[in-house]
Amino acid sequence: MRIRLGILGADDSLEMIQNIANEYKELYCVPVVYWDEDEIIDLIRPFIHQVDMWLFSGQVPYSIVKEWGEVDCPMFYVPHTGASLYRTLLHIYYERQIPIHQLSFDTYHPSEIERLLDEAGICERVPHVKHYQGEISAEVLAQYHYELWKQGVTKAAVTCLRTAHLELQKLGVPVYRVLPARSAVESVMQMIIRTGEMLRFQDAQIAVQMIEVDSLSAISSETFSTDEIYKMEMKVTEKLLRYAKKIQGSLKTAGPGRYVIFTTRGVLKDITDHYRIIPAMDEIEHIDQEMVTCGIGIGRTAYEAEIHAGKAFLHAKKYGRGTWMVIFDDDTIVGPLGRSEQIRYSFDCAELQAISQKTNLSVATLSKLSAILRKLGKNEINAYELATHMQILPRSARRILNELKHKGLAEVIGETNPYPRGRPRKIYRIFL
């Protein structure tokens, strides 16, 4: 099965990357070109569920999408390696013979450029470098190069960002674009293929669904009898048997109204849209969704998967009937599926364990809070917001926030009053 690879890049690098990717029979490419960093999210949004992995032409588009946080498949970018820079410097020297100290660079660290020059036998300092990590705007980079050139300090600019390259051309600055080297692209392609092999292995992992169906809620009080309960459970079992067959699994009962289905991780990933939604399968659509509570467990063995399913089921019960939760083999918890407040958190975090020891809060609570803040994209929250996302009472949320404040891990930075006659809600800034 071929890997569906989304490739997002600027016009001048995308074609080259795609041509190399087309040489690998394991890959099926979905190219997406961008001309402005502000449009990247809107461009890839339609393809999120149509590709297995993403490859970006550089650090900036990769960082923008990573910060967005809505892509949960593997992502890669092509680094600007020494070979890329060597080629550009050779072009500059051949065309204009400009000394290194009269060039301005971006992206690279000064020591990295100096090391490359040293390897070529050129011992020269590189005084003008705009090094950055993560994302940066084309305007900031262009302004950096332009000011040096306007002051006569440099004679040309060397940039790794296509949009900065275009901006500098508009400003009349002599500019050279560092394009990815073939060797760097090939190296990333090999990494993508190896990752694909690992994911195929993951998809074959054992997955267990632990399901509870509340049949009693569908029975009328006027016809309530043991016969009606039995008939209802028989109908539910028949539907779950068809559902189990659909997902290539096997069904066994685990007590009144309780069922366990053994299948594989890949199948459940597909029917839940990467663990985002509750599946609307034909075989179970006539079972009221509110009747079904489900815990999904992933494991390296059947025993581990079943243990995780049981834990996920108990977490789902805390959220109430109709909830689905997932626990993966790395103890990461995701859920509730199909809800806007869905979060991903883990118990396995040394930093949060240390904070837990200082406070009266569990690692699970701290991990949930951290995941909620990541989802919201901010470090500020009030008790009402926290209660909504955690599915707890507002007074419990206030207790959590006050405990963090008492231990110096939060501070009150303001108040909001959405209702004129209501009590103002304190806004807390969290330090986790």
Side-chain angles (χ1 to χ4, degrees):
M1 185 175 175
R2 299 171 77 187
I3 298 168
R4 297 170 300 174
L5 179 65
I7 306 176
L8 182 136
D11 61 311
D12 58 349
S13 57
L14 179 62
E15 183 179 1
M16 184 266 285
I17 294 172
Q18 187 181 355
N19 287 338
I20 297 173
N22 287 337
E23 297 174 9
Y24 293 84
K25 64 182 186 300
E26 299 93 339
L27 304 176
Y28 171 77
C29 299
V30 180
V32 182
V33 65
Y34 81 92
W35 294 92
D36 188 327
E37 282 76 23
D38 291 338
E39 66 183 10
I40 286 176
I41 300 303
D42 289 335
L43 285 172
I44 72 165
R45 199 189 300 271
F47 299 99
I48 283 183
H49 306 316
Q50 298 180 23
V51 301
D52 303 308
M53 301 184 207
W54 279 100
L55 174 61
F56 300 95
S57 61
Q59 172 184 319
V60 170
Y62 168 85
S63 299
I64 290 171
V65 176
K66 186 176 181 182
E67 181 67 25
W68 180 42
E70 295 298 317
V71 175
D72 57 7
C73 65
M75 298 190 299
F76 306 84
Y77 70 89
V78 181
H80 290 88
T81 59
S84 310
L85 186 57
Y86 279 143
R87 182 178 59 193
T88 306
L89 292 177
L90 179 62
H91 183 202
I92 294 171
Y93 184 78
Y94 180 79
E95 188 176 83
R96 297 191 58 186
Q97 294 83 49
I98 302 175
I100 297 294
H101 68 270
Q102 291 184 333
L103 294 171
S104 57
F105 299 83
D106 62 45
T107 307
Y108 296 96
H109 192 277
S111 62
E112 186 179 3
I113 302 175
E114 289 171 2
R115 178 180 58 79
L116 294 171
L117 294 173
D118 186 57
E119 289 175 356
I122 303 171
C123 298
E124 189 169 346
R125 270 194 347 102
V126 184
H128 312 298
V129 184
K130 179 71 172 178
H131 174 64
Y132 61 91
Q133 292 179 324
E135 60 179 287
I136 194 170
S137 71
E139 290 75 16
V140 169
L141 284 186
Q143 193 62 31
Y144 169 77
H145 293 291
Y146 175 70
E147 290 297 330
L148 290 169
W149 175 76
K150 186 174 70 171
Q151 295 167 18
V153 177
T154 60
K155 292 185 177 179
V158 180
T159 183
C160 296
L161 191 64
R162 173 60 166 162
T163 46
H165 177 228
L166 295 172
E167 188 68 24
L168 286 165
Q169 285 182 329
K170 291 179 186 176
L171 294 170
V173 180
V175 57
Y176 295 86
R177 163 94 153 106
V178 181
L179 286 167
R182 181 182 180 89
S183 59
V185 178
E186 289 177 339
S187 177
V188 176
M189 293 300 171
Q190 292 294 336
M191 195 182 308
I192 288 169
I193 291 169
R194 288 196 298 272
T195 302
E197 293 170 350
M198 180 195 70
L199 290 177
R200 280 193 289 274
F201 170 76
Q202 278 190 346
D203 284 348
Q205 280 184 304
I206 295 170
V208 174
Q209 282 186 268
M210 190 169 289
I211 297 172
E212 180 181 77
V213 182
D214 184 6
S215 305
L216 297 180
S217 62
I219 298 176
S220 169
S221 59
E222 297 178 0
T223 59
F224 190 93
S225 69
T226 54
D227 287 344
E228 288 298 319
I229 296 172
Y230 180 73
K231 284 197 303 187
M232 178 61 71
E233 289 194 349
M234 287 293 291
K235 288 180 182 178
V236 169
T237 302
E238 288 175 9
K239 291 173 181 177
L240 288 177
L241 278 168
R242 292 199 298 271
Y243 167 68
K245 183 178 180 181
K246 186 78 173 181
I247 63 173
Q248 303 169 44
S250 62
L251 175 76
K252 73 175 185 179
T253 58
R258 298 274 181 90
Y259 306 85
V260 176
I261 298 176
F262 289 84
T263 182
T264 60
R265 178 175 185 162
V267 172
L268 288 184
K269 180 183 73 176
D270 291 340
I271 67 167
T272 59
D273 190 16
H274 294 262
Y275 307 102
R276 290 189 182 90
I277 63 170
I278 295 175
M281 304 289 287
D282 292 339
E283 284 74 15
I284 62 172
E285 65 177 0
H286 298 300
I287 301 177
D288 187 349
Q289 204 65 261
E290 290 299 314
M291 291 167 55
V292 180
T293 303
C294 175
I296 297 175
I298 311 294
R300 290 174 286 269
T301 65
Y303 178 76
E304 182 181 65
E306 193 167 3
I307 293 297
H308 285 164
K311 290 180 179 178
F313 176 75
L314 293 176
H315 279 278
K317 293 279 282 184
K318 292 179 181 177
Y319 279 90
R321 211 169 54 186
T323 302
W324 289 42
M325 299 287 289
V326 186
I327 295 184
F328 294 96
D329 54 336
D330 62 355
D331 289 326
T332 299
I333 303 174
V334 173
L337 304 192
R339 299 191 192 177
S340 59
E341 68 269 19
Q342 178 176 330
I343 57 173
R344 177 185 291 262
Y345 58 98
S346 174
F347 296 138
D348 187 19
C349 177
E351 185 177 350
L352 294 182
Q353 287 172 355
I355 294 174
S356 177
Q357 292 175 359
K358 297 177 184 176
T359 65
N360 292 321
L361 304 176
S362 68
V363 175
T365 297
L366 293 167
S367 189
K368 286 181 185 179
L369 174 58
S370 180
I372 290 166
L373 294 174
R374 284 199 306 273
K375 182 180 177 69
L376 296 176
K378 60 182 182 179
N379 290 328
E380 294 83 32
I381 196 167
N382 62 49
Y384 180 80
E385 287 178 300
L386 184 60
T388 301
H389 285 278
M390 277 195 174
Q391 294 287 290
I392 58 178
L393 295 173
R395 66 170 178 268
S396 299
R398 282 192 291 272
R399 182 187 64 80
I400 292 169
L401 294 171
N402 284 329
E403 175 67 12
L404 290 172
K405 178 175 174 289
H406 179 67
K407 299 298 183 181
L409 297 167
E411 65 177 2
V412 178
I413 60 170
E415 291 183 343
T416 180
N417 194 350
Y419 307 107
R421 295 185 180 181
R423 190 170 73 176
R425 296 170 180 171
K426 294 179 180 178
I427 302 171
Y428 294 79
R429 177 173 290 136
I430 312 298
F431 311 108
L432 288 182

